Amino acid sequence: QVQLVESGGGLVQPGGSLRLSCAASGFTFSSYAMSWYRQAPGKERVLVAAITNTGDSTNYADSVKARFTISRDNASNTVYLQMNSLKREERAVYYCTVRLPRRVGVPTIRDSYWGQGTQVTVSS
């Protein structure tokens, strides 16, 4: 029932920008932190950015600091990733994720949910 649907990926030249979106449903969006991960060809999936449930705090991988911005709109159940000055090595499938309690009232047991991903290709 939890659904995360990423969009906004595509082909961009090095130094260009993209804005990814993730539409969430099936849970109380405003209660949970959201994250973006990416997986480049032949590499492990890694954390890119995270944002608290209210949007009052964010965290970024060192490699994307000052270039990427994660944000959220709780009114529309959407989390965004603004990516500027993109590099060739940042070609990857980008995923939106959330960790949810397995059962209401049992917050210590959580499961990760993932969207289908959106492809970002950085190439000239």
Side-chain angles (χ1 to χ4, degrees), residues 64-85:
V64 308
K65 287 180 179 177
R67 297 186 298 114
F68 288 15
T69 302
I70 187 171
S71 61
R72 67 191 296 159
D73 180 2
N74 286 349
S76 63
N77 286 9
T78 306
V79 61
Y80 304 95
L81 185 67
Q82 177 67 46
M83 306 187 296
N84 298 328
S85 302

Side-chain angles (χ1 to χ4, degrees), residues 51-74:
I51 188 167
T52 58
N53 65 309
T54 62
D56 63 344
S57 184
T58 58
N59 285 292
Y60 299 93
D62 287 344
S63 62
V64 308
K65 287 180 179 177
R67 297 186 298 114
F68 288 15
T69 302
I70 187 171
S71 61
R72 67 191 296 159
D73 180 2
N74 286 349

